[in-house]
Amino acid sequence: MLNIQNLSFQYAGAVRPALDDISLSVARGEILGLLGPNGAGKTTLISHLAGRLTIQRGTIDIDGMALEALRRTAPTRIALAPQDHAFYPMLSVRENLKVFAAASRLSGMRLRERCEACMAFAQLERFAHTRGEQLSGGLKRRLNLAIALLPEPDLILLDEPTVGVDPQSRAFILDAVRSLARAGAAVIYTSHYMDEIEAIADRIAIIDHGRLLRDATLSQLLAEGARTLRVSADGVAPHALATLLAPWGTTAVDGITVTLALNANANPVQALAAIEAHGGTLTRAHYGHDNLEQLFMRLTERSLRD
C-alpha cells in the first residue's frame, strides 16, 4: 500500500542528511513499528508522509500513486495523530470532532455519523461536552486518535500515541490500533517504549542517523541478536567478574549483574564454570538472545542523543 524508495532529505545548513536513502513498504492490515533514537530521522520521515516536507530525492507512492498527486486529489487517505495534543482546548470533544470533520471535507449526515462513530470508537461519549483542556492525559490521546480517524484513512501515522497516559489508557490505545489494522488500515507506529512495539508491530524498522538499520519481523530481529549471558555471583566483585568473563565475549556491568555478549563460538557453560573455579557462587544466571531493547541499543550505540 505504501512504498518508499530511496528517500533522502537534508535540512538547510545541516552537515548531514536527516534521511539517507530510506526504502520501506507497508501493506494494508500491517502495523510497522518505527524505532530510532532522538534525531534519528523518524519525525522527518513522518513529516514527509503527512505532507509537511517536500521530497528532495526518492519517491513515495500510495497504491502506485505518487504522494504529491494523492495529497492533491485525496489528502484524507493519510491521517496523523501527532505526539502533541492536536485539538482546540477551549472546544468540547464533540465540537472538536465537528470542526476537524468539516476540515476533512465531511458534511451533513456523513459528518454527524463519523463524529459519533469516532467518539464511540475512542470511548469518549461520556466526555462529549467536556472541553479539551479539561481532559486527562489519556483522554487527550484518545481525542487525538478519534480526530485522526474521522475521514476513515487508509494510512494512519501514530507518533508516540501513549506518552504520559495511564496503564488503562495505554492498553486501550494499543487494542484500538490492532483493531484498525484488522479492519484493513496500514499503520506506522512510532514509540520509545520497546514493549509496545514488541506487542503490537507486525514488522519493525530501526533507523539512526537517517539510515535504515533493520527492517524485519520481531522474530527475525531477535534471531540475529547476540547470545547473551547475564550473571551475578557472590565472592567476586562485579568488575572482577566482568574481567573474568572477558575471554568469552564483550562484558558490561549493571549494578551487581554482568552481561556477557558471547563470541560466535563461545561456550556459556565454560564461562559459568570459570566463575566457580575462581571461587564465586552463582546467584543468578540467564542465557538467551538479545531482546528488542538490547538489540536496539547495540545497533544505535548507547550514547545519549539530543
Side-chain angles (χ1 to χ4, degrees):
M1 188 266 184
L2 169 67
N3 186 35
I4 302 170
Q5 288 294 322
N6 308 114
L7 184 65
S8 296
F9 184 87
Q10 187 161 344
Y11 292 99
V15 176
R16 58 186 177 188
L19 295 176
D20 189 359
D21 202 34
I22 295 284
S23 294
L24 275 175
S25 63
V26 187
R28 293 182 183 276
E30 183 177 42
I31 301 173
L32 176 71
L34 183 61
L35 292 175
N38 291 334
K42 303 188 303 298
T43 299
T44 303
L45 178 58
I46 294 295
S47 295
H48 273 83
L49 297 173
R52 294 175 171 177
L53 291 174
T54 301
I55 296 173
Q56 292 178 346
R57 185 162 64 85
T59 61
I60 302 176
D61 294 340
I62 306 290
D63 286 334
M65 178 184 290
L67 179 64
E68 298 91 332
L70 179 80
R71 295 203 63 83
R72 286 195 301 270
T73 59
T76 57
R77 289 187 62 189
I78 304 173
L80 168 66
Q83 182 175 348
D84 297 326
H85 297 140
F87 51 79
Y88 294 103
M90 74 293 296
L91 298 182
S92 70
V93 166
R94 177 171 274 122
E95 289 168 340
N96 266 290
L97 290 172
K98 287 181 178 179
V99 167
F100 284 98
S104 298
R105 304 181 180 181
L106 301 176
S107 61
M109 181 61 72
R110 182 62 177 159
L111 181 149
R112 292 190 291 274
E113 288 175 349
R114 289 306 299 156
C115 287
E116 295 305 314
C118 291
M119 187 155 48
F121 179 84
Q123 295 185 16
L124 291 169
E125 298 99 325
R126 290 194 298 118
F127 307 95
H129 301 293
T130 303
R131 292 205 307 268
E133 62 190 359
Q134 297 174 327
L135 298 173
S136 68
L139 291 172
K140 288 176 178 177
R141 293 291 172 192
R142 283 153 58 182
L143 179 54
N144 256 17
L145 180 61
I147 289 170
L149 300 180
L150 284 166
E152 297 184 280
D154 297 315
L155 174 61
I156 303 169
L157 313 172
L158 302 176
D159 190 6
E160 301 282 354
T162 62
V163 170
V165 306
D166 58 89
Q168 289 80 6
S169 292
R170 183 186 185 207
F172 173 84
I173 290 171
L174 293 180
D175 287 341
V177 173
R178 292 187 190 96
S179 72
L180 294 171
R182 286 195 299 268
V187 179
I188 297 181
Y189 189 102
T190 75
S191 178
H192 288 297
Y193 301 131
M194 301 293 167
D195 58 330
E196 285 187 7
I197 298 295
E198 289 191 44
I200 203 172
D202 300 299
R203 218 172 74 252
I204 298 168
I206 301 175
I207 64 175
D208 194 17
H209 299 301
R211 298 191 64 84
L212 181 65
L213 302 182
R214 292 292 187 276
D215 175 16
T217 65
L218 177 64
S219 59
Q220 289 170 334
L221 286 175
L222 297 185
E224 75 172 53
R227 296 177 303 137
T228 59
L229 179 65
R230 296 174 186 82
V231 297
S232 55
D234 289 338
V236 186
H239 287 282
L241 181 59
T243 301
L244 178 65
L245 295 176
W248 285 273
T250 303
T251 60
V253 177
D254 183 9
I256 63 170
T257 300
V258 175
T259 299
L260 171 66
L262 289 151
N263 293 332
N265 298 317
N267 187 333
V269 175
Q270 293 176 348
L272 293 174
I275 297 172
E276 295 192 353
H278 192 74
T281 302
L282 282 170
T283 57
R284 177 181 179 272
H286 179 271
Y287 171 72
H289 286 283
D290 284 346
N291 60 28
L292 181 59
E293 182 170 359
Q294 291 158 346
L295 176 65
F296 176 81
M297 295 295 284
R298 181 165 57 82
L299 289 174
T300 60
E301 303 176 347
R302 298 180 65 91
S303 57
L304 291 174
R305 308 295 174 87
D306 294 331

